[in-house]
Each structure stands twice: as C-alpha cells, then as structure tokens.
Amino acid sequence: MKWTAPPSRREIQILVFAFCVFLFACNLDDTLQFFGLDPATTHGTVLRILGFWNSKVIATDGRRPPGWRDFLENEIFGTWAWEEDEVSGDGALRSQGVGEGKHGAGWLGRKGVGALRGGSLGDLTVNDGFLRWGEDIPKSRLVRHISGYSILDNIIICNKIVYVVSDDPDEFPSMKSIVSALGLGMDEWKLVSSEEAREELGTYGSILHGVTWMSADTTPRKSDRNAYVATTWLISHKDNSTLLALWRTYSSLDQHITSSGQTSLPPPTRLFFPQVRVFTDPNPLPHFHMIRRRRVDTGFHPFLLKAAFPQLTVLYQEDWEDYHKLPIPFLVERLVVADREAAEAAIKRDQPVFSPAFNLPGSKHWWEPVRRTLLSFLSEPPSKKKTVTYLHRQSENAGVRLRDEDHKALVLGLKKLERDYGYEIHIVSSSFDETDWFTRMSAISKSTVLLGPYGSDLLDCLFMKPSPETTLVEIFPSGTFARDEELVARSINVHYIAWWNDRKFMLANLPNESQPSNTQEARVDVAALTKVVRETLAR
C-alpha cells in the first residue's frame, strides 16, 4: 500500500482514540468533575499508587488530598469534611447558637451571610504596601484646617517626627496650630522642603493606605479647658468628645450627607493615640501574662467604637513607637488629627474645647451615618411610645450628681408619668457596673427626652431618635452652666433645656458660663421638672 493511500478504518479508530486521550489529559480536572470526582483526591490516589508519596497538590479546602494527609496535618487542620460555601465544621459548629461551644461563636456560610458587598474584599493587595518615590517625594497637602482640627494628605512619620513636606511654606499654618501636644510619643511636627525631605527620609518607604485618625492629646480623659477655672473647681470626669470631634472634622469633606445617613466618605481605617499607652497599670512579669490588665480610659466605651466604626483599629503609643523604630519612613495617605491643646489656644473661655471643629463646613446631617450604623448594630425595634431616659450619676465619686433625696423623688416622678400617660421610662446609670453599655445605648437611641446631671455622659444625646420633640434636659447646680452638651445638641437639631432646681433655660436665655465644681450636688424641684417633661412630650 502506498503511503498516500486513504487511511484504513483501524487507523482512523487509533487517531480518534489518541485525540480523545489527548483531550482527556489536557482537561483532566474538568473531566473528573464531570464524572463527579474530586480532582485533587483522584490525583492523590493515582499518584500514590504509582509510588509518589510527597504531593504539592492542594485541594479546594486548602489541605492535601485524602491519602496524603499525615498525623501532623490532621492535628493542625482537623479531619472535618469540607463543604462548599462553609467556613468550618461538619455541621455541629454551624448548628450551635451564639454563646455555646468552646469559643461561644456560631459559624455562618455564604448562604447564611449572603453575597459579599462589592464582589471583592478590596482594591488593595499585599503588594501595595511599599512605595519608591525616588527624587519625587510625595508633597503634603492641607485639606481642612482650624486650630486643633486638621485634615492633611501625604504626611510622613519617621523617628518620632511627623514630616509635612512642602516647597511652599506659606501653604501651611503654624505647626503648633495643628499639633501642640508634644511628648513621649512625638518629638516634633516638622515642615520641610522636598530637598530636605529626600536628605532625611531617602527615596522609598512604606505606606499607610486609607484614612487615619489621630488624637494627639497626651491624655484622652482630661478636658484641659477647665484649667480656666479655679483649682478647687477642676473637673476630672472623662471627656468622650474625641470621636465626636474627629468625625465632625472628617465629615466636613462631605457637605451633602443626607438625612438617611448616606455619605461618600470612606470609613476611617485606624485611630492613633500616639501619646497614650494601652494599659495604665505596671507591666506584669512574663509568666503572669494572662493577668487581666487595666486599659486606659479613652473617654468612649470600647464597645461604641466597635459598633459605630467596625472598620476602625485603635493603635496606642506602643504601636506608634513600633512604626518609628523601623528604619524606613511611613507615608500616611490621609490624616485627620485632633489636638485639644492647639484648639484651646484659639477658643474663648466659655467655648467647649471641641467647638472649633464645628466651624468647619458640613452637612446638617453630619452625624447621621454614625447614628444609623449604631442603630443597625443595636437592632432595637422602634418604640411606639414616647420615651424618656434618665441618665443618673449617683454612683460616681466625682462630678455633678443629684442630692440622693431628689434623685429618688425624680425616679418616682418619672414612674408616675409612665403610669398616668403611658410613656416608656428608662432609668440608667453612668456607671457600667450598674447599667451595661448595650442597655444604656438601646434606651438612649429610642429616647424622645434624655435628662440627667451635667457631664459628658450626656453627649450620648447624639444617638437619640430624631423628632420635633427630641430634647436634652441637662441639670446644673444653681448658678452654674457649661455649653458642651448644648453645642452638640444644637448641631444635630435637638432641643436643649438647662435646668436649675425649678428654673428652665432655653437657647434664647441660657445663663452665663460658670463651671460647676467637681463635688457639687444639684437640687431638683421634681414637680416642676416632670411638668416640663410632660409639656415637651405633648408638643
């Protein structure tokens, strides 16, 4: 037979068979899946039979295929069966309720959680943490500024110095008007030219992406503006205005925040306390590392941060020092910084230390994104009744509180309003030993009227239910007054009443600033106060 003769039937069958084998081999994984087989497991079985005991094949669950798993792998990863769209367990973990089991947590798979928002976990990868700028070092930019509260882009930190890089010194205000509180955490805020920056910082560094917040104060608790008052009148109550001031400053970048809380602002990524250590008690010996430590009082409850800003990580002086001990600089993409010492230099005596931030442009709904995030976390059903919450401070050792007899009478008077008019009444304490955070915030979030003695605890009025009747009633010892809570209430369109015993003061006739002492008790005419509460709810 000539070689050009047509192929025989046998030759055609051989060619078809060889072609099928070729397709099968080139698409082995798809072929095995078509027949309902796990490709990784099948590879493992076949290759193990052929004597290849070591495998680099990884199955879809991140483990080596069955048959190649040894004791160590089973000890580390477990022997549970993998199911697509589940994160753990053979079913027992996935069926247990929250608070049960070893870790007190239940697992939800993709079906229980739903689709990931946006379709991805972010635009950045681990490859985006390093930046080579060469001769073109990033220039800093002043985005917003008022004494004590600033937003800056491209700030560089290195060796306990914060660098502001600009070839136009007139573009920036005095560094002391940005941050004055220098100490163990920060040696200096330094305005340098591009050439000076290249000489001191080099041609490359790491980058902290996203929005970074910083509270530069040497202590987050002290409200230094009280230094204006006589020494015996100093107030040492915790000041929870840190988050308030930082968000008010940051929200100035979106002047179109809607009444439903919609905003174009990306969430802040980290909050630095560069001059505040995470613990206030001495370090224990190494073998006592399990001893529970006393965390520093930042002024805001740690639960609040996790509920209202779940994307935010808090970093303290120890973390700040770590960045500065490394031999290369870090570029901070966007920095929102609050410094009360710098703010105090620019305010009048009767102004709250955080008041400059409210002079920045902003939407009248500036707080709604935060309030609604917390409200979603609390998942409190809306109350069908008008609600009154009395936030008392009777267990506190310092700060203003009511006389014991007036406190008891006020509780009875509010309970009488509940019986006579059907209002929902909540009595909560400023002490979290008496009222847990969740109970307190749930009560405040649905309150129409919030009342209590003077103190920064009343800043939680930010989370009250908006309505034409929503009112904050702040009780002062007669002859004293401070504007802190009034300013905040006014900024979110909440009515404000200052109360002296049996006298009511509203926006048009507020008393002059006169700080209460740290040990003063306030008297209350309960009949007069409950009458005003009833009239407020009847509007």
Side-chain angles (χ1 to χ4, degrees):
M1 182 190 306
K2 296 182 179 180
W3 68 272
T4 56
S8 65
R9 182 176 180 179
R10 177 174 175 273
E11 290 172 332
I12 292 175
Q13 290 176 336
I14 292 174
L15 286 173
V16 171
F17 175 77
F19 183 71
C20 291
V21 171
F22 173 77
L23 289 178
F24 178 85
C26 289
N27 300 275
L28 181 60
D29 288 355
D30 292 336
T31 305
L32 293 173
Q33 288 178 351
F34 177 79
F35 289 106
L37 301 174
D38 178 22
T41 302
T42 307
H43 291 173
T45 303
V46 173
L47 295 178
R48 187 180 180 188
I49 292 173
L50 296 176
F52 297 97
W53 287 87
N54 293 321
S55 172
K56 294 182 180 180
V57 177
I58 301 299
T60 56
D61 60 2
R63 298 177 295 179
R64 290 189 294 180
W68 278 344
R69 299 172 190 168
D70 54 22
F71 171 79
L72 181 60
E73 181 164 355
N74 289 334
E75 182 71 16
I76 296 173
F77 292 101
T79 58
W80 42 267
W82 173 271
E83 294 180 23
E84 198 67 27
D85 284 334
E86 298 292 349
V87 292
S88 181
D90 286 326
L93 287 176
R94 299 196 297 271
S95 63
Q96 75 178 24
V98 176
E100 302 175 7
K102 181 179 179 181
H103 302 291
W107 294 93
L108 284 178
R110 177 70 59 82
K111 295 176 183 177
V113 175
L116 289 172
R117 296 181 62 185
S120 68
L121 295 177
D123 298 326
L124 296 174
T125 71
V126 293
N127 306 113
D128 298 315
F130 195 78
L131 186 64
R132 289 191 178 274
W133 52 71
E135 295 297 310
D136 188 21
I137 193 166
K139 306 286 197 309
S140 302
R141 184 169 74 97
L142 186 67
V143 183
R144 288 278 190 272
H145 172 71
I146 195 165
S147 292
Y149 303 97
S150 306
I151 303 176
L152 307 102
D153 288 349
N154 295 335
I155 299 300
I156 301 177
I157 61 174
C158 184
N159 197 27
K160 298 182 73 173
I161 297 176
V162 180
Y163 290 88
V164 179
V165 182
S166 176
D167 292 323
D168 182 7
D170 295 333
E171 181 185 359
F172 289 85
S174 163
M175 292 296 102
K176 285 192 174 182
S177 71
I178 299 176
V179 169
S180 296
L182 302 176
L184 293 177
M186 288 186 293
D187 287 347
E188 184 180 4
W189 273 63
K190 191 174 182 180
L191 179 60
V192 296
S193 66
S194 299
E195 184 177 352
E196 291 171 326
R198 284 192 296 269
E199 291 177 359
E200 295 189 37
L201 301 172
T203 59
Y204 61 89
S206 289
I207 180 170
L208 299 181
H209 289 282
V211 179
T212 300
W213 284 2
M214 176 190 289
S215 173
D217 304 299
T218 54
T219 167
R221 297 186 72 244
K222 181 182 177 184
S223 183
D224 292 332
R225 72 185 188 87
N226 294 307
Y228 291 127
V229 190
T231 304
T232 56
W233 282 23
L234 285 176
I235 295 177
S236 62
H237 68 268
K238 61 180 178 292
D239 182 354
N240 58 2
S241 64
T242 302
L243 285 181
L244 160 74
L246 284 167
W247 177 258
R248 180 60 186 86
T249 303
Y250 183 42
S251 69
S252 68
L253 298 181
D254 183 4
Q255 300 176 44
H256 303 287
I257 296 175
T258 67
S259 59
S260 61
Q262 295 300 310
T263 178
S264 60
L265 296 172
T269 303
R270 61 193 70 82
L271 167 57
F272 273 117
F273 287 104
Q275 309 207 75
V276 178
R277 294 201 175 277
V278 62
F279 297 117
T280 61
D281 55 336
N283 291 331
L285 295 173
H287 52 284
F288 291 117
H289 64 278
M290 294 300 292
I291 293 178
R292 194 169 185 83
R293 308 288 302 280
R294 182 183 294 277
R295 289 190 289 182
V296 68
D297 184 356
T298 57
F300 53 83
H301 197 286
F303 291 178
L304 176 61
L305 197 70
K306 295 171 177 62
F309 297 94
Q311 306 92 341
L312 191 65
T313 299
V314 182
L315 302 169
Y316 294 90
Q317 185 175 343
E318 293 87 343
D319 306 289
W320 178 259
E321 289 173 345
D322 288 343
Y323 283 102
H324 291 271
K325 289 176 182 177
L326 292 168
I328 64 171
F330 282 81
L331 176 70
V332 183
E333 195 170 30
R334 169 157 288 176
L335 180 67
V336 182
V337 58
D339 181 84
R340 279 179 283 190
E341 188 173 320
E344 284 173 345
I347 61 175
K348 297 179 180 179
R349 175 174 179 173
D350 63 345
Q351 290 180 305
V353 72
F354 52 81
S355 61
F358 287 83
N359 293 326
L360 293 169
S363 165
K364 64 180 181 179
H365 305 297
W366 65 277
W367 186 252
E368 273 303 286
V370 182
R371 190 189 73 85
R372 287 178 178 265
T373 301
L374 180 70
L375 199 64
S376 299
F377 176 86
L378 296 174
S379 299
E380 277 292 309
S383 177
K384 297 180 180 180
K385 301 179 180 179
K386 294 183 177 180
T387 303
V388 179
T389 297
Y390 169 36
L391 175 55
H392 68 81
R393 309 187 75 254
Q394 297 307 108
S395 300
E396 301 288 357
N397 296 322
V400 174
R401 44 176 283 175
L402 269 59
R403 294 192 312 164
D404 285 339
E405 53 267 39
D406 288 349
H407 164 69
K408 294 174 183 176
L410 181 56
V411 171
L412 293 175
L414 292 173
K415 291 294 185 182
K416 187 175 187 301
L417 287 180
E418 185 175 39
R419 292 193 303 272
D420 295 347
Y421 297 95
Y423 303 141
E424 184 176 332
I425 304 294
H426 297 276
I427 312 297
V428 297
S429 172
S430 62
S431 170
F432 291 109
D433 292 332
E434 294 184 12
T435 304
D436 66 81
W437 177 85
F438 196 94
T439 300
R440 170 170 148 179
M441 296 309 297
S442 295
I444 292 174
S445 68
K446 57 185 177 183
S447 292
T448 315
V449 173
L450 173 65
L451 69 155
Y454 163 69
S456 65
D457 302 290
L458 292 182
L459 287 178
D460 286 341
C461 71
L462 286 162
F463 297 101
M464 293 174 69
K465 179 179 69 174
S467 75
E469 301 89 10
T470 303
T471 303
L472 172 64
V473 181
E474 188 170 20
I475 304 169
F476 291 91
S478 295
T480 67
F481 178 68
R483 291 185 175 274
D484 300 47
E485 284 66 48
E486 183 274 330
L487 171 61
V488 172
R490 178 158 39 92
S491 76
I492 56 172
N493 202 30
V494 167
H495 297 289
Y496 177 83
I497 296 174
W499 189 265
W500 288 356
N501 192 12
D502 58 354
R503 295 182 62 187
K504 178 177 75 170
F505 300 89
M506 299 189 72
L507 183 60
N509 67 333
L510 290 173
N512 294 327
E513 172 94 2
S514 179
Q515 287 282 340
S517 76
N518 200 28
T519 56
Q520 273 186 284
E521 288 188 329
R523 300 174 65 99
V524 171
D525 184 322
V526 172
L529 181 54
T530 53
K531 179 183 177 183
V532 167
V533 170
R534 182 166 54 83
E535 291 172 348
T536 298
L537 296 175
R539 282 205 297 259

